[in-house]
Amino acid sequence: MKNYKLAVVGATGVVGQKMIEVLQEKNLPISEYVFFASKRSAGKTLRFGNDVYVVKELTNDSLKDNFDFALFSAGGDTSLKYAPIAVEHGCIVIDNSSAFRMDNTVPLVVPEVNPDDIKWHTGIIANPNCSTIQAVCALKPLNDAFGIKRIVYSTYQAVSGAGSKGIHDLENGIQNYIEDDDTTTYYLEKFKYPIFNNCLPHIDKFLENGYTKEEEKMINETRKILGKPNLAITATTVRVPVFNCHCESINIEFEKSFEIEKVLDILKNAPGIIVQDSSKDEIYAIPTTVTGHDEVFVSRIRRDFSVNNGLNLWVVADNIRKGAASNAVQILEKLL
Ligand code: A2P
């Protein structure tokens, strides 16, 4: 069995740390791990199993050193600058940033949905946006059965998706509330407005057309992964004061008619999906029970009576695990 050499770029970040945790849970044939971050974190130590690793500063030469694979989660600019260097030196990059996702030469992969796309990579494989990953896991088997005609996404996204600064903003808001009973004035590292006791209809930058980049990512990435470039999709993405797990209300119109029992049957048998849905017992997926899982949870499965062939779903997943780290490691496993 070959023993591979793997780099984690952005190893000190929220996703990078989770990548390391997920790698530790698996028994992969990797003999050498190297953990990179910016100059700020160089020299910090990280635990991996029984070993302690020293974080290295990522430089122009770092990835020239015979790496087989690199998991990148250090933002788009870092990926744009360093991923091509790694590829040039024979390394396959699995990139969690948005830098290459819509590049026609780069596959955008969710292993339960489009594993065959991995085959045409030319060095970089992109990990989709966290909100897209969980959505397409639920949508793909239904698209295969009934043909999706239109999607309306409304998301409720956790602060962990905004990295460590996003988490600090919620923690500081809670602390400030306890000490001052005032939710409006505290130092913000990430968001424009307080996230504690609030909902912010603004994730990533605003675009000329009034949408945010997060909304555009959900629309374009869903089309690319499902192989339906003209699919009608609209999205509203909202940051909510939840530490971890994104929730999504997904409204779907299908080409074909369906029975709700068939939808349930398809979702119950779909890879990576757990159906948690009993209105009688008031059972449905919520962030506090979904956190820590790699599966995508689907609840509130019900017909939309306002249109022909309409369906509503509530979809919850751990955005740092399935939405980022675990999905990247699952792609890596397919390559080993
Ligand atoms: P650092 O800890 O040195 O800042 P998060 O978004 O959760 O805060 O994580 C971002 C991750 O990306 C961190 O590991 C951060 O390292 C890393 N990072 C940011 N900029 C760079 C860079 N220019 N080179 C390497 N790693 C970077």
Side-chain angles (χ1 to χ4, degrees):
M1 185 163 59
K2 181 159 185 203
N3 278 317
Y4 296 101
K5 179 169 172 178
L6 177 114
V8 177
V9 176
T12 52
V14 175
V15 173
Q17 293 276 287
K18 193 59 75 179
M19 284 171 166
I20 293 170
E21 196 180 312
V22 174
L23 287 165
Q24 285 182 80
E25 292 165 7
K26 316 244 177 189
N27 189 20
L28 303 179
I30 295 167
S31 54
E32 195 175 344
Y33 293 91
V34 186
F35 301 124
F36 294 105
S38 78
K39 198 174 183 171
R40 287 180 293 274
S41 301
K44 277 188 185 167
T45 53
L46 292 175
R47 277 215 157 269
F48 189 91
N50 294 325
D51 301 318
V52 174
Y53 285 75
V54 177
V55 176
K56 295 189 176 174
E57 180 190 354
L58 184 69
T59 66
N60 284 334
D61 293 327
S62 302
L63 296 166
K64 294 180 180 173
D65 197 14
N66 295 319
F67 284 96
D68 297 291
F69 303 104
L71 303 179
F72 270 66
S73 193
D77 291 343
T78 305
S79 295
L80 282 171
K81 185 169 174 194
Y82 297 99
I85 300 175
V87 172
E88 206 181 304
H89 288 81
C91 175
I92 299 176
V93 170
I94 301 165
D95 182 34
N96 190 51
S97 82
S98 61
F100 302 102
R101 287 183 191 146
M102 295 313 296
D103 184 327
N104 286 335
T105 65
V106 174
L108 185 62
V109 176
V110 180
E112 296 89 339
V113 176
N114 58 338
D116 288 346
D117 283 343
I118 292 176
K119 290 180 193 152
W120 54 266
H121 81 82
T122 55
I124 300 176
I125 299 163
N127 212 35
N129 173 268
C130 43
S131 345
T132 309
I133 291 178
Q134 66 186 73
V136 295
C137 283
L139 292 172
K140 161 79 166 124
L142 299 174
N143 184 51
D144 289 347
F146 312 116
I148 295 175
K149 191 168 143 192
R150 180 170 185 253
I151 301 168
V152 181
Y153 286 132
S154 308
T155 72
Y156 309 75
Q157 297 184 219
V159 293
S160 56
S164 38
K165 289 181 178 168
I167 295 172
H168 294 162
D169 278 0
L170 180 53
E171 286 173 344
N172 291 339
I174 294 167
Q175 194 60 33
N176 192 75
Y177 177 72
I178 292 166
E179 287 169 6
D180 292 358
D181 200 26
D182 181 350
T183 62
T184 55
T185 55
Y186 59 93
Y187 173 69
L188 294 166
E189 292 179 33
K190 179 72 188 179
F191 303 115
K192 181 172 166 70
Y193 301 104
I195 183 62
F196 174 69
N197 200 25
N198 246 344
C199 294
L200 308 178
H202 174 189
I203 301 182
D204 210 329
K205 297 187 182 81
F206 275 105
L207 305 169
E208 289 271 298
N209 63 10
Y211 281 72
T212 61
K213 264 185 91 175
E214 183 80 356
E215 290 158 354
E216 186 188 59
K217 284 182 220 168
M218 283 197 84
I219 294 167
N220 292 338
E221 293 179 23
T222 300
R223 289 174 174 157
K224 179 168 175 174
I225 295 165
L226 294 182
K228 296 183 94 161
N230 300 314
L231 184 59
I233 311 178
T234 190
T236 303
T237 59
V238 180
R239 190 74 70 190
V240 295
V242 166
F243 280 110
N244 199 44
C245 290
H246 290 349
C247 303
E248 298 175 345
S249 156
I250 307 184
N251 177 261
I252 312 154
E253 270 180 79
F254 293 107
E255 307 279 356
K256 296 182 193 163
S257 61
F258 63 86
E259 295 303 324
I260 210 79
E261 292 73 24
K262 183 71 183 159
V263 168
L264 276 167
D265 188 50
I266 289 170
L267 288 172
K268 280 179 183 165
N269 289 296
I273 294 280
I274 293 180
V275 171
Q276 204 169 62
D277 195 14
S278 169
S279 48
K280 176 170 64 69
D281 300 316
E282 300 182 8
I283 289 173
Y284 39 79
I286 52 175
T288 47
T289 54
V290 170
T291 196
H293 291 269
D294 281 339
E295 294 85 359
V296 172
F297 289 67
V298 185
S299 310
R300 307 292 322 280
I301 302 164
R302 65 208 190 280
R303 192 175 288 280
D304 170 2
F305 295 106
S306 71
V307 288
N308 284 334
N309 308 330
L311 183 75
N312 285 310
L313 303 176
W314 173 251
V315 176
V316 185
D318 186 325
N319 54 298
I320 300 299
R321 287 191 71 102
K322 184 55 190 163
S326 300
N327 198 73
V329 175
Q330 285 170 339
I331 294 171
L332 172 67
E333 286 181 284
K334 296 261 175 210
L335 293 163
L336 296 174

